[in-house]
Amino acid sequence: MDNIYQPDLMEIAGVRQHTPDVKSVKLRFQDPNRAGSFDFRVGQFGIFSAFGAGEATFNICSSSNWKGSIEFCFRKVGRVTEALWDAEEGDTVGFRGPYGNGYPMEAWRGKDLIFLGGGIAMPPIRCAIWYALENRADYGDITIVYGARTVGDLVFVDELDEWARHPRVRVIRCVDPGGQTPDWTGEIGFVPTVFERADVPAKNAIALVIGPPIMIKNTIPVLERMGGAMSNVYTSLENRMKCGVGKCGRCNAGPVYVCKEGPVFTFEELRAIPMDY
Amino acid sequence: MSARISREDLRKLVAEWLAAGKKVFGPVRVKAGLELYAPLDSAEALLLDGWIRPANSIKELVFPRHEALYGYRILKNRVELVDLAAEIPEQIAIGAHPCDAAALAALDKVFNWDYRDEFYNRRRAATTVITMACAAHDDQCFCTSVGLGPEAERGSDALLHERDGGYEVRAISEKGRILLGGLAGETACPTAQTSGANTPPRRFDSAQVAAFAKEHFEDPYWAERALACLGCGACTFTCPACHCFDMVDEGNGREGVRARNWDACQFPMFTLHASGHNPRANQGARQRQRIYHKFVMYPDKFGEVLCTGCGNCSRNCPVGLGVLPAATEIGNG
Amino acid sequence: MSGSNGFEPKIVAFVCNWCTYLGADLAGTSRLEYPPNVRILRLPCTGRIDTNLVVKAVEGGADAVLVSGCHPGDCHYNAGNYHARRRWMLFRELLDVLGFDMRRIHFTWISAAEGRKFQHVISEITEQTRALGPWRAYEAKAEIDHRGGLVGQAVSPATGRAGPAPALQAPAPLAEQELRDLARRLLGAGDVKVVIGYGAAGPVFVTKAADVERLVWNEGCQANLTTYLKRKEVRALGKPAVVVKGCDERSLVVLEKESQIRREDVRVIGMACDGMGQEKCAACDTHEPRFADERVGKAGGQGGKPAARYAAVEAILAKTPEERLAFWSAEFDRCLKCYACRQVCPMCYCERCIADKNRPQAIDTSPHRKGNFAWHIARAMHLAGRCVGCDECTRACPAGIDLRLLNLTLARAAETQFGYRAGMDPAAEPPIGAYSLQDKEEFIR
């Protein structure tokens, strides 16, 4: 029987700890055939499981150009993530996916890209950044504004440095006021404010905004003031999911199943339909 | 050709099915005042009169409240998955109502768009639904407001009409024809005999319900309507069409199962994010969701209302809510 | 020595860290041999041993369970074992009514010096359990008496729901008018912002004096409206007046005792009531409200038969444990885990219910038999000495599970053991959270 709920078994190939409660994990398919045939689009997500604890939904935060493995990133907040936290290299976890629509990277070609992220929302942006850098000629200027509550809450910090070394890439780091350390060289302030100060041409750019609801809420007006079109401003919704395949009803928001029609939406779409997210 | 079967012969038929090892579900009186669809242990347990409709639905035949999806065994750092999908025996629902059967036709769609859910499909394939046209209705019935009726055929494999102390039998699908063989006729039962006593009046216009839900998404109406709502799942769990589910791991450190259980949009935890953010933060939003899903979202996606007018949500609601009171208010513009 | 069929019982022992665990240790260091069938789980104190753990052990396949701690007076934390003793007294009565095999659930006091007693107890339990054979508590054949159930319920023609037909003591139009006038006055004067009352089709929340005609008083007013005092959407409406019957009023007493409401923040409208035709009404002794701020109507003076209060419990206890287990298996097999019982209960106000917690998963969320037994046992235990017997859980249950019988079991235990009835006397000390040195412990070895 074809079982759409049955996961692939994955071996943990590497673990990186980013903050006291955030880790990213690299997985390899245990079945070599599956490893060879697996493909996904950046922006898609997976359902990851620790056997005995359950499943949880995370973006696949690696680039789709990286063959042979996938990565995901999580904060330790519940039963499943605690079990994943305790898993070590060589252990087995489950993966179902890829699910969802992903970013329309082809449609973004030729445009400037603006990535605005807050806190743990870096991973779903990271996959798009790497993809764009690996296809550098396809995209215009890239601006990354990434903020967190404190310096210690920033994730993938080493990669921020790496991205900044690429041509036509501007990386702006910021922390909330009071979240800085004495040696902090980045900006101090919230993402929307810092972004507005940075004065990035937004008129014809694609913007990807992911973060806590309050950050998104305050960033959208800034983008509008800067001339960004809502049809060019994207986000990735994080509705709670169980099945990932449009059955269980949990991610249902207004007229859509976020797991199938999302998780990536433009703000033009989000404004047109009544939704709870 | 229409065919008839006496009440005695109907029970005999059930007894034959049981003797042949088939699983037969039908309405039974569990205790005074409580009728449920349940597996019949004898043909005598089948309840043929004296009730409007059971407090549950036949969806459990195709979508059980608890179902193991697969097992796992943990051996050091390796995991082995175990196929737990046992053979599904042939099962028959006898005495289902049109509002139960029609729900299966709706469920077929969600369980098969894009990804095909074989847990559902194999149970569905093993199930034959023999529907009993309704002889009566109560003030919670509203099938006629959602495009159905006491003799609606949708989702049924055969239909029984009570006539002169027996039943007229008509096969609707190939499955029904195979199960009933020569017992069933093919022609439509003469509707002229429909007294009307079995037909609830049209209580609202479902298109108006949809329009209100769409246009008044943020209306304070929902919060006011939901004040009495206690946030339990009695409405969704007894609904023939509600199909939301949860997925859980149960077991010990060495082995266990991953299973799915019914879940309800009325529970606050249903949409609660790990971050503490809840997109549907109050009961009003949850009540709206149930109406919106049934009258807007599902029809937009799958072409039919996800409500068959059975009235179970209101009958089972301890505080008098459910689809009908809301739909009556917003669907009578 | 194993049984003739090679059966070796698995025994789970929950022991306290300070006495019994050291007693077990002493048995070991003294080289006192005892059967290896026991799995010892050490907890800080018997007072900290949740009854869920005992259930969990049975679920996990234990053939017998032992709970053991310090002798009375010896508790490391002064009184943990006294509190535990009280809970066990109630818990045992519940398990007994459920039909659990009480020969497999053991309680002892074993001190750090009693290595020999530990050895004896374990040997004895092991032998006894071996003779009993494997415990298949969750494999009972679910059997229900189709001729009307063990405890029959009639359906209410008014609501189509479980509960006997209303007695149809003529609805009191005078009382209804009086109630509306009162509500109009309270709302008009701004004394309260909302009147929580009965409407024609369910509870109503009247916020304007002009809307008081929505209030009704008739034989369909079964709900216990005090449950709305805990709901945040209702609280947001402002100071409430709540319509209660004498029985519902008891929940206010408990809620106040548990600091869930401040009495002065709620205006209580007490309705005299001759019964709503529910099972509980037959044994009612609270026809008149006793603590209400406002009183409406006068009861006909027909007393119930309070002596028959626990007749249903006694009826089920007349059955054999096997019959009881078969009955409850059938009842719980119908449970959908819709949590209507919890949501409707005025006493269930936890911010997050233990059933919704998963670290650890004390209760399986699945609506299978183990998960359902665990849930209903936990619910009953959490209501022990608190349930006021409004029977809302039973009324709300779409599966018609006889939940009232569980609550009644513990109410009976609280009354017979501690002379306590929840919500009757505001000055009385609740049985849980208190203890007495005289508490009976004949069941503890």
Side-chain angles (χ1 to χ4, degrees):
Chain A
M1 190 188 85
D2 185 27
N3 186 345
I4 54 175
Y5 304 106
Q6 186 164 313
D8 286 308
L9 296 176
M10 313 292 282
E11 181 174 318
I12 296 182
V15 179
R16 281 163 74 188
Q17 183 166 350
H18 298 269
T19 78
D21 61 359
V22 176
K23 276 183 180 178
S24 63
V25 173
K26 183 179 189 175
L27 302 178
R28 274 200 205 100
F29 287 91
Q30 286 178 0
D31 175 355
N33 295 327
R34 185 81 174 106
S37 64
F38 181 79
D39 197 14
F40 73 102
R41 294 190 302 279
V42 288
Q44 286 190 295
F45 65 91
I47 300 214
F48 298 82
S49 55
F51 293 97
E55 296 187 314
T57 311
F58 307 105
N59 162 269
I60 303 171
C61 70
S62 44
S63 162
S64 53
N65 294 319
W66 307 350
K67 299 298 173 197
S69 69
I70 55 170
E71 293 176 28
F72 71 103
C73 182
F74 64 95
R75 169 172 284 151
K76 184 170 67 160
V77 285
R79 187 186 184 198
V80 177
T81 47
E82 273 178 4
L84 290 171
W85 185 270
D86 292 339
E88 293 168 359
E89 207 167 317
D91 284 353
T92 302
V93 298
F95 164 78
R96 293 193 285 126
Y99 296 136
N101 54 359
Y103 305 123
M105 297 306 293
E106 298 75 22
W108 292 0
R109 280 189 192 144
K111 304 262 194 181
D112 290 347
L113 304 179
I114 300 171
F115 296 105
L116 304 171
I120 185 72
M122 194 55 196
I125 296 178
R126 170 193 184 236
C127 56
I129 293 174
W130 275 118
Y131 184 93
L133 294 176
E134 286 154 4
N135 299 278
R136 193 66 196 86
D138 288 345
Y139 302 96
D141 291 348
I142 294 176
T143 308
I144 300 162
V145 181
Y146 175 46
R149 208 166 291 162
T150 73
V151 176
D153 291 320
L154 294 161
V155 301
F156 291 107
V157 185
D158 48 339
E159 296 186 18
L160 288 172
D161 295 333
E162 206 177 330
W163 298 333
R165 285 194 289 272
H166 280 75
R168 291 183 294 126
V169 176
R170 190 173 163 199
V171 176
I172 303 169
R173 271 161 277 210
C174 58
V175 292
D176 292 358
Q180 69 274 26
T181 49
D183 55 351
W184 176 245
T185 55
E187 304 261 347
I188 294 171
F190 299 106
V191 169
T193 333
V194 170
F195 171 58
E196 192 160 24
R197 276 207 300 260
D199 196 22
V200 181
K203 200 153 193 149
N204 290 309
I206 296 291
L208 177 61
V209 188
I210 309 178
I214 182 73
M215 183 204 107
I216 295 185
K217 186 167 170 257
N218 292 328
T219 303
I220 295 307
V222 173
L223 273 163
E224 279 188 306
R225 275 203 295 279
M226 296 167 76
M230 286 301 103
S231 55
N232 283 336
V233 180
Y234 291 78
T235 192
S236 181
L237 296 185
E238 302 190 332
N239 286 41
R240 202 171 165 196
M241 293 175 192
K242 283 288 175 178
C243 75
V245 291
K247 313 280 179 238
C248 81
R250 187 168 307 243
C251 70
N252 182 201
V256 301
Y257 284 109
V258 173
C259 70
K260 286 190 50 65
E261 286 130 287
V264 179
F265 294 94
T266 67
F267 278 88
E268 187 181 54
E269 290 166 331
L270 292 183
R271 283 174 174 186
I273 48 180
M275 278 181 82
D276 23 32
Y277 53 86
Chain B
M1 185 194 82
S2 101
R4 286 184 51 84
I5 186 169
S6 70
R7 294 167 75 97
E8 296 69 42
D9 286 347
L10 183 65
R11 283 197 202 276
K12 266 187 216 152
L13 190 58
V14 171
E16 278 168 31
W17 290 335
L18 287 170
K22 296 174 183 176
K23 279 181 87 178
V24 187
F25 288 73
V28 299
R29 178 152 296 144
V30 175
K31 51 174 86 173
L34 179 69
E35 291 86 29
L36 294 174
Y37 290 114
L40 302 178
D41 46 16
S42 74
E44 285 66 47
L46 176 66
L47 195 65
L48 291 171
D49 325 271
W51 48 283
I52 296 297
R53 63 153 294 129
N56 60 348
S57 83
I58 64 166
K59 80 174 168 195
E60 194 141 4
L61 291 183
V62 291
F63 176 49
R65 67 184 80 165
H66 169 74
E67 181 166 36
L69 300 171
Y70 51 88
Y72 56 81
R73 273 197 283 272
I74 300 169
L75 318 139
K76 290 199 181 136
N77 59 7
R78 287 285 163 236
V79 171
E80 194 180 285
L81 298 183
V82 186
D83 185 358
L84 298 176
E87 194 84 358
I88 303 295
E90 185 179 344
Q91 47 187 22
I92 300 162
I94 175 100
H97 274 350
C99 45
D100 282 299
L104 299 188
L107 292 181
D108 288 346
K109 297 182 177 171
V110 70
F111 281 110
N112 284 292
W113 73 306
D114 201 349
Y115 294 88
R116 295 174 59 81
D117 186 319
E118 296 303 333
F119 289 95
Y120 174 87
N121 287 337
R122 68 205 186 104
R123 285 182 197 276
R124 184 76 166 98
T127 307
T128 307
V129 181
I130 303 185
T131 304
M132 184 95 64
C134 298
H137 75 274
D138 70 4
D139 56 4
Q140 304 296 341
C141 291
F142 60 96
C143 52
T144 48
S145 308
V146 289
L148 294 166
E151 299 170 6
E153 295 175 2
R154 185 155 19 132
S156 299
D157 296 303
L159 196 60
L160 303 180
H161 272 72
E162 196 167 355
R163 294 278 184 267
D164 314 320
Y167 300 94
E168 281 185 17
V169 189
R170 185 160 61 93
I172 290 164
S173 73
E174 197 51 37
K175 256 197 227 167
R177 231 161 264 136
I178 291 168
L179 181 70
L180 296 172
L183 287 171
E186 295 285 338
T187 47
C189 297
T191 46
Q193 285 191 40
T194 302
S195 62
N198 62 348
T199 309
R202 267 191 69 153
R203 304 186 198 274
F204 60 85
D205 173 6
S206 63
Q208 280 188 44
V209 174
F212 182 93
K214 238 187 243 180
E215 288 155 24
H216 300 267
F217 198 76
E218 301 293 348
D219 201 284
Y221 169 79
W222 302 107
E224 283 164 30
R225 225 319 131 203
L227 266 179
C229 178
L230 298 163
C232 78
C235 49
T236 65
F237 287 3
T238 61
C239 172
C242 275
H243 55 267
C244 287
F245 61 85
D246 186 17
M247 289 170 68
V248 297
D249 281 25
E250 278 177 0
N252 53 37
R254 298 182 307 279
E255 60 182 356
V257 296
R258 190 157 286 163
R260 70 165 159 204
N261 297 326
W262 290 352
D263 208 343
C265 57
Q266 300 306 306
F267 297 153
M269 300 266 298
F270 187 67
T271 49
L272 181 68
H273 292 196
S275 68
H277 171 67
N278 195 342
R280 290 201 278 273
N282 57 66
Q283 208 58 38
R286 291 171 211 132
Q287 285 276 297
R288 177 190 65 203
Q289 165 66 15
R290 189 152 186 271
I291 299 276
Y292 193 97
H293 190 156
K294 288 183 179 301
F295 288 87
V296 181
M297 188 265 202
Y298 208 86
D300 282 357
K301 238 173 209 47
F302 302 111
E304 63 183 289
V305 175
L306 190 67
C307 171
T308 59
C310 73
N312 259 4
C313 48
S314 295
R315 276 186 217 98
N316 287 308
C317 178
V319 293
L321 302 179
V323 165
L324 185 59
T328 312
E329 282 171 358
I330 63 181
N332 277 311
Chain C
M1 187 182 77
S2 75
S4 56
N5 53 1
F7 166 66
E8 277 302 327
K10 287 194 289 287
I11 295 157
V12 175
F14 296 102
V15 305
C16 93
N17 179 47
W18 303 97
C19 291
T20 305
Y21 188 77
L22 295 180
D25 207 28
L26 180 64
T29 51
S30 311
R31 313 217 179 258
L32 299 172
E33 279 189 31
Y34 61 83
N37 302 56
V38 63
R39 276 77 163 163
I40 298 175
L41 288 143
R42 176 167 58 147
L43 288 107
C45 176
T46 46
R48 191 64 192 79
I49 297 175
D50 196 308
T51 50
N52 282 325
L53 291 175
V54 176
V55 177
K56 215 53 181 165
V58 184
E59 276 178 21
D63 298 302
V65 180
L66 167 69
V67 187
S68 180
C70 307
H71 284 273
D74 288 355
C75 178
H76 183 80
Y77 307 100
N78 292 336
N81 53 356
Y82 290 128
H83 287 287
R85 185 166 67 184
R86 279 220 153 172
R87 274 208 298 278
W88 300 344
M89 290 165 79
L90 297 167
F91 185 50
R92 288 181 77 254
E93 297 214 20
L94 178 66
L95 293 186
D96 195 23
V97 162
L98 288 170
F100 275 64
D101 189 344
M102 299 310 286
R103 297 168 299 177
R104 298 173 186 267
I105 298 174
H106 306 270
F107 300 88
T108 61
W109 304 135
I110 297 175
S111 78
E114 294 176 319
R116 198 162 288 282
K117 181 172 178 186
F118 185 82
Q119 177 199 29
H120 283 154
V121 165
I122 298 301
S123 306
E124 229 177 276
I125 293 177
T126 306
E127 282 322 304
Q128 194 188 340
T129 312
R130 184 173 287 135
L132 288 171
W135 194 2
R136 300 197 171 99
Y138 293 100
E139 292 168 31
K141 185 167 165 22
E143 270 180 305
I144 190 147
D145 183 353
H146 279 287
R147 289 155 298 180
L150 192 61
V151 184
Q153 278 189 314
V155 72
S156 146
T159 60
R161 300 193 44 75
L168 289 173
Q169 314 248 343
L174 283 177
E176 187 172 88
Q177 198 48 53
E178 199 182 330
L179 169 65
R180 289 173 179 173
D181 292 343
L182 174 62
R184 189 179 295 115
R185 209 168 63 233
L186 291 174
L187 288 165
D191 289 354
V192 302
K193 296 282 181 224
V194 57
V195 176
I196 307 171
Y198 302 97
V204 291
F205 303 83
V206 178
T207 52
K208 291 197 276 288
D211 291 344
V212 297
E213 301 300 315
R214 294 172 63 203
L215 294 168
V216 303
W217 176 245
N218 58 34
E219 67 284 354
C221 299
Q222 296 185 340
N224 180 349
L225 301 174
T226 63
T227 197
Y228 288 108
L229 298 175
K230 74 185 181 202
R231 291 197 66 83
K232 72 174 197 288
E233 286 93 347
V234 175
R235 284 187 171 190
L237 297 174
K239 182 174 178 176
V242 62
V243 177
V244 299
K245 307 180 288 288
C247 48
D248 309 330
E249 199 185 43
R250 291 170 62 186
S251 41
L252 293 172
V253 175
V254 179
L255 288 172
E256 189 184 16
K257 216 160 180 68
E258 297 179 358
S259 305
Q260 294 305 306
I261 57 166
R262 291 197 313 175
R263 189 60 185 72
E264 61 271 27
D265 293 343
V266 183
R267 196 70 163 255
V268 180
I269 303 176
M271 307 298 293
C273 171
D274 283 324
M276 291 292 160
Q278 293 172 278
E279 240 177 308
K280 65 176 179 181
C281 302
C284 176
D285 57 357
T286 52
H287 292 287
E288 295 281 355
R290 297 168 299 147
F291 313 108
D293 303 302
E294 316 280 349
R295 294 168 190 225
V296 176
K298 180 133 188 61
Q302 276 164 294
K305 294 193 196 70
R309 200 178 290 145
Y310 304 119
V313 181
E314 277 130 29
I316 193 170
L317 282 171
K319 307 260 174 187
T320 66
E322 291 75 24
E323 288 169 333
R324 301 200 287 265
L325 192 60
F327 167 75
W328 286 111
S329 297
E331 291 290 288
F332 293 154
D333 281 357
R334 295 198 304 274
C335 177
L336 307 166
K337 286 268 175 86
C338 73
Y339 297 115
C341 48
R342 171 185 77 188
Q343 295 305 103
V344 80
C345 178
M347 298 307 147
C348 277
Y349 52 70
C350 289
E351 190 62 34
R352 186 174 283 196
C353 174
I354 187 166
D356 289 335
K357 290 182 183 166
N358 62 10
R359 286 181 292 167
Q361 190 89 49
I363 299 167
D364 283 349
T365 55
S366 296
H368 48 42
R369 192 178 288 181
K370 284 179 182 176
N372 290 347
F373 262 92
W375 161 241
H376 290 290
I377 291 172
R379 202 186 79 85
M381 280 307 292
H382 286 193
L383 288 167
R386 303 175 59 239
C387 171
V388 298
C390 69
D391 288 356
E392 281 291 87
C393 46
T394 313
R395 189 181 68 85
C397 178
I401 301 170
D402 209 337
L403 297 168
R404 107 180 269 270
L405 196 45
L406 297 180
N407 298 331
L408 218 49
T409 297
L410 289 168
R412 176 175 171 269
E415 185 166 0
T416 54
Q417 309 247 35
F418 313 117
Y420 182 87
R421 285 178 70 201
M424 292 304 284
D425 176 6
E429 195 165 32
I432 297 288
Y435 63 88
S436 158
L437 297 182
Q438 274 72 51
D439 284 340
K440 290 190 218 99
E441 59 165 38
E442 75 286 344
F443 63 93
I444 304 174
R445 274 197 255 187

